[in-house]
Amino acid sequence: MAICAVYTATNPIFQTTKPNFGFHQKHEVIFYTRKERSRRWEKRKLSCSAEAKTVVIGLAADSGCGKSTFMRRLTSVFGGAAEPPKGGNPDSNTLISDTTTVICLDDYHSLDRTGRKEKGVTALDPRANNFDLMYEQVKAIKDGIAVDKPIYNHVTGLLDPPELIQPPKILVIEGLHPMYDSRVRDLLDFSIYLDISNEVKFAWKIQRDMAERGHSLESIKASIEARKPDFDAYIDPQKQYADAVIEVLPTELIPDDNEGKVLRVKLVMKEGVKYFSPVYLFDEGSTISWIPCGRKLTCSYPGIKFAYGPDSYYSHEVSVLEMDGQFDRLDELIYVESHLSNISTKFYGEVTQQMLKHADFPGSNNGTGLFQTIIGLKIRDLYEQLVAEKAAAPVEAAKV
Ligand SMILES: Nc1ncnc2c1ncn2[C@@H]1O[C@H](COP(=O)(O)OP(=O)(O)OP(=O)(O)O)[C@@H](O)[C@H]1O
Ligand SMILES: O=C(CO)[C@H](O)[C@H](O)COP(=O)(O)O
C-alpha cells in the first residue's frame, strides 16, 4: 500500500517523502507555501483514497475480557505473527502483522493516571478520552494517510510521545470505546463486542490479577465495583451497535455452578450486514438443539450442548449460535465443524486447524475460542469481498 502522508494532531499538513518506521525518527520534510501545501494535500488525499482503503474493524470489551486473545486468533487467520512496531517504544500497545495493524484505544486517553485521579474520573469515562483525535486519526488511516498516534503507557500511567502508524490493509481498533462516538462508529466496516458476564469477568480477573499479578481478592473486587457504574453507562451500551456479539455466561449444565470454568457462550450475529452471512447449524433459520456427545465426540461431565436459531437483539433481527460445555479432545472438533455452515473456511477443517494451532490460548476448549476463530474467518471473508468489490468498481465504471 502506498504511503500517502503523515497526519499529526499538531501539524495536520506536511509532506513526507521518506517516512521512517522507527519511533520518533526524523522524516525528510519538504516545506511548501501554504497554497501549494493545501493543493498537494487535496491531490494526495484523492489519490490515496483511489489507491486503497483500509478496512476498519472495531472490537469493544472491558479490560481483561479477552481482547488480546481474540486479536491473536484474528491475526493468525491472516497468517504471520503480530508484533509491536520495530524499534519503537517498548511500551507501545500496537501490534503489526503483514495484513493487520491493531491499535489500542487506550492510546486516546486524554487524561493520564494522575490526571484521572485528580479529576475523579475513570478511564471508561468519555471525559478521559479524546474522541475528536480518535475520529480524525481513524478516518485518516482509512483514507490511506499515516498518522502520529499518541501512546498511553500502561507501565508508567503517562502519555508518551506518539508513534507513526501506516495505513494497513486491515486496521483493528480495540478497546473500551470503538463504538461510543457515532463518527468513529460510522467508520467501522465490521464491529464486535465481547460481552463477558459479571460472574465470568470476576473469575477471569481472579485468575489473571491474583494468580499472575499478585493482587488481593479484595482489591480485585473493589476495582470491579469501582468500574461498574461507568462500565454500565459507557461501555455496555455499545453492544447494541455491534455486528457480532460474543456473550460469555456461566454454564447451565451444572446446577448453581460458581466455579466459572465451564462456560455457556453465545454468538449473536446481526442479519442484513453487508458481506457478513451468519453461521448456522444444520438448517438456516430453524431452531435447533444439539447434543453432539456420543460416538464421534468425547464428552466428559457435564457434556456439550449446542443451540441455534433466530432471535431479536436490541430490536435487530439476529441469528444466535450457542455452545455450553467444553471439548475434551480438540481434534474431534472437526465433527462439530462439519455440521456448521457459512463458516467462511478456505478448506475442510480450517476451524479445527486454527483451534489446534492455538490450543494453549485461553478458551480453546470452549465456545469462546471456537466463536472467536469463526469470527476471524468471517472477517477475512468480509475483507476479501470488500477488496473484490473495489477491484471490480473501475471495470464497472469503464463499462458505463
Ligand atoms: N476465553 C477465555 N477463557 C478463559 N479465560 C480467559 C479467556 N479469555 C481471556 N481469559 C482470561 O482473561 C485474561 C485477560 O485476557 P486478555 O489479555 O486477552 O484480555 P484483554 O481484554 O486484552 O485484557 P486487557 O485489556 O486488560 O489487556 C487472560 O489472562 C485469561 O486469564
Ligand atoms: O480500562 C482500561 C483499558 O485497558 C485501563 O484501566 C485504562 O486504560 C487505564 O489503564 P491503567 O490502569 O494502566 O492506568
Side-chain angles (χ1 to χ4, degrees):
M1 180 173 295
I3 290 150
C4 296
V6 178
Y7 182 98
T8 65
T10 46
N11 182 14
I13 301 171
F14 69 88
Q15 302 285 327
T16 167
T17 50
K18 279 188 193 160
N20 284 306
F21 291 80
F23 172 65
H24 256 211
Q25 287 171 335
K26 283 233 160 29
H27 304 273
E28 195 180 297
V29 178
I30 304 166
F31 290 96
Y32 297 104
T33 62
R34 180 182 286 270
K35 203 171 156 199
E36 177 60 8
R37 216 164 52 191
S38 151
R39 192 189 69 81
R40 282 174 174 263
W41 176 251
E42 289 307 323
K43 196 173 150 212
R44 200 76 185 115
K45 271 203 303 190
L46 270 180
S47 72
C48 286
S49 34
E51 275 163 18
K53 274 208 169 192
T54 294
V55 171
V56 186
I57 309 293
L59 172 68
D62 197 4
S63 152
C65 286
K67 295 184 298 290
S68 315
T69 311
F70 188 6
M71 283 305 102
R72 287 195 288 161
R73 288 193 198 277
L74 175 68
T75 44
S76 161
V77 163
F78 286 93
E83 284 167 5
K86 285 203 176 65
N89 185 334
D91 295 329
S92 165
N93 301 307
T94 303
L95 285 174
I96 300 177
S97 69
D98 291 349
T99 3
T100 45
T101 291
V102 181
I103 62 172
C104 174
L105 296 180
D106 294 351
D107 289 335
Y108 292 100
H109 288 337
S110 50
L111 296 174
D112 63 12
R113 207 174 280 158
T114 314
R116 291 196 300 271
K117 206 166 175 191
E118 279 168 5
K119 289 222 158 53
V121 293
T122 70
L124 301 93
D125 191 313
R127 287 171 297 173
N129 295 279
N130 186 344
F131 288 105
D132 290 342
L133 185 62
M134 188 191 293
Y135 164 65
E136 281 159 18
Q137 296 206 331
V138 175
K139 181 167 184 336
I141 295 174
K142 188 160 180 155
D143 289 341
I145 301 163
V147 303
D148 260 336
K149 180 190 61 55
I151 298 175
Y152 177 71
N153 188 322
H154 280 280
V155 180
T156 61
L158 297 170
L159 287 156
D160 282 354
E163 64 187 355
L164 183 67
I165 304 290
Q166 300 289 355
K169 289 180 179 156
I170 300 170
L171 173 75
V172 184
I173 57 169
E174 62 95 351
L176 298 169
H177 306 97
M179 283 103 86
Y180 181 81
D181 184 292
S182 64
R183 296 167 303 171
V184 180
R185 197 160 68 226
D186 289 345
L187 294 172
L188 302 176
D189 292 293
F190 192 76
S191 54
I192 308 124
Y193 185 91
L194 298 183
D195 188 8
I196 315 298
S197 65
N198 285 334
E199 300 93 320
V200 176
K201 203 189 277 187
F202 188 56
W204 288 2
K205 273 258 172 210
I206 290 178
Q207 185 186 317
R208 183 180 72 171
D209 295 354
M210 212 164 140
E212 296 168 24
R213 298 186 179 176
H215 297 186
S216 70
L217 189 62
E218 289 67 36
S219 74
I220 296 169
K221 270 189 194 159
S223 117
I224 291 181
E225 283 309 312
R227 290 171 74 95
K228 194 151 185 333
D230 283 353
F231 175 80
D232 291 343
Y234 309 120
I235 312 304
D236 194 60
Q238 292 175 86
K239 64 190 180 196
Q240 65 189 290
Y241 305 116
D243 297 317
V245 176
I246 298 180
E247 206 175 317
V248 186
L249 304 150
T251 182
E252 282 186 343
L253 300 174
I254 307 171
D256 302 321
D257 173 66
N258 51 16
E259 245 193 305
K261 283 210 172 115
V262 182
L263 300 173
R264 175 176 163 230
V265 188
K266 286 175 151 190
L267 175 57
V268 182
M269 298 162 281
K270 222 179 237 177
E271 295 287 347
V273 176
K274 201 174 177 193
Y275 302 132
F276 175 70
S277 47
V279 176
Y280 64 89
L281 180 64
F282 293 116
D283 183 39
E284 192 168 16
S286 296
T287 298
I288 313 267
S289 176
W290 183 42
I291 296 176
C293 307
R295 289 188 194 169
K296 295 178 183 155
L297 196 75
T298 315
C299 296
S300 56
Y301 179 80
I304 298 178
K305 193 171 169 186
F306 275 86
Y308 162 76
D311 206 340
S312 145
Y313 189 80
Y314 288 95
S315 314
H316 292 291
E317 221 180 286
V318 294
S319 282
V320 182
L321 178 65
E322 179 181 323
M323 175 185 164
D324 196 347
Q326 53 193 33
F327 301 110
D328 281 354
R329 292 190 45 182
L330 260 192
D331 53 335
E332 289 176 353
L333 178 61
I334 188 74
Y335 176 62
V336 171
E337 181 178 349
S338 62
H339 288 84
L340 293 170
S341 300
N342 268 354
I343 45 178
S344 302
T345 46
K346 286 199 193 284
F347 54 88
Y348 179 74
E350 191 177 10
V351 171
T352 308
Q353 189 202 60
Q354 279 293 329
M355 291 282 281
L356 282 166
K357 192 165 153 194
H358 302 300
D360 58 329
F361 286 7
S364 287
N365 63 346
N366 62 38
T368 58
L370 176 63
F371 295 160
Q372 287 177 5
T373 302
I374 289 176
I375 288 296
L377 294 167
K378 300 297 295 180
I379 290 173
R380 182 182 67 186
D381 187 47
L382 177 127
Y383 166 73
E384 287 173 357
Q385 290 188 61
L386 272 164
V387 169
E389 183 195 62
K390 261 182 254 155
V395 178
E396 290 305 313
K399 277 190 204 158
V400 175

